[in-house]
């Protein structure tokens, strides 16, 4: 029975898209890592709680197939702020978040990072 569960999770991982704009924060990448950890022995893995495993799989399938998005359709594709889905994806991209974090740094800190080989946190030690 563990073999069929393993194959179902593998199929889900193959279908789940990887989002390149969210490096190191992508749900698809985390899913692949967790499946690899949970099924270290592949089809021969012994599952401690099969019911919880099945529940997890069904929950992930509902997320992947947009079950609740289709069950409860929205009238508009914007939030209360008026921001569209595309704008949200752009704002949450890793590169944009990094740029915003760089903007928060003060001039002194930027100069120190530019001219010192070691990190500013190491100066405090």
């Amino acid at each position: 029975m563990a073999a069929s569960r393993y194959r179902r999770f593998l199929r889900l991982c193959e279908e789940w898209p990887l989002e390149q704009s969210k490096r190191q924060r992508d749900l698809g990448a985390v899913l692949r890592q967790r499946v690899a950890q949970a099924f270290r022995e592949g089809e021969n893995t012994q599952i401690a709680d099969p019911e919880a495993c099945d529940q997890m799989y069904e929950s992930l399938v509902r997320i992947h197939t947009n079950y609740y998005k289709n069950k409860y359709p929205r009238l508009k594709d914007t939030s209360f702020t008026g921001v569209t889905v595309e704008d949200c994806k752009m704002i949450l991209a890793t590169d944009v978040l990094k740029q915003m974090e760089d903007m928060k740094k003060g001039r002194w800190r930027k100069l120190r990072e530019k001219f010192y080989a070691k990190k500013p946190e190491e100066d405090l030690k």
Side-chain angles (χ1 to χ4, degrees):
M1 201 62 181
S4 65
R5 285 187 178 94
Y6 176 65
R7 281 187 240 117
R8 288 189 324 177
F9 272 100
L10 281 182
R11 194 174 324 113
L12 181 64
C13 287
E14 289 173 3
E15 292 174 3
W16 203 290
L18 285 175
E19 205 166 326
Q20 298 301 324
S21 65
K22 294 184 181 178
R23 290 182 302 275
Q24 300 173 349
R25 300 178 302 120
D26 183 31
L27 185 58
V30 172
L31 175 64
R32 286 168 175 76
Q33 289 172 351
R34 294 278 176 96
V35 168
Q37 288 174 352
F39 293 96
R40 286 190 182 125
E41 298 172 18
E43 294 182 353
N44 299 326
T45 303
Q46 296 297 320
I47 299 172
D49 191 359
E51 293 159 1
C53 181
D54 291 340
Q55 277 185 331
M56 180 68 68
Y57 175 78
E58 294 301 325
S59 297
L60 289 169
V61 166
R62 283 193 297 271
I63 292 170
H64 176 63
T65 60
N66 291 323
Y67 174 79
Y68 291 105
K69 180 183 177 186
N70 297 331
K71 185 175 180 180
Y72 304 106
R74 298 177 55 131
L75 299 176
K76 297 180 181 179
D77 286 336
T78 61
S79 64
F80 71 95
T81 60
V83 178
T84 63
V85 174
E86 291 80 23
D87 292 339
C88 286
K89 285 182 180 181
M90 184 194 70
I91 291 169
L92 293 174
T94 302
D95 296 334
V96 173
L97 289 175
K98 187 173 183 329
Q99 288 175 357
M100 290 174 67
E101 194 167 309
D102 288 343
M103 288 172 39
K104 289 181 185 177
K105 293 180 183 177
R107 288 186 195 266
W108 181 248
R109 188 169 182 188
K110 286 180 189 176
L111 286 171
R112 286 177 63 185
E113 287 177 358
K114 186 175 183 178
F115 292 111
Y116 286 118
K118 58 184 176 180
K119 296 181 180 176
E121 292 83 23
E122 292 175 2
D123 289 343
L124 299 174
K125 292 181 181 178

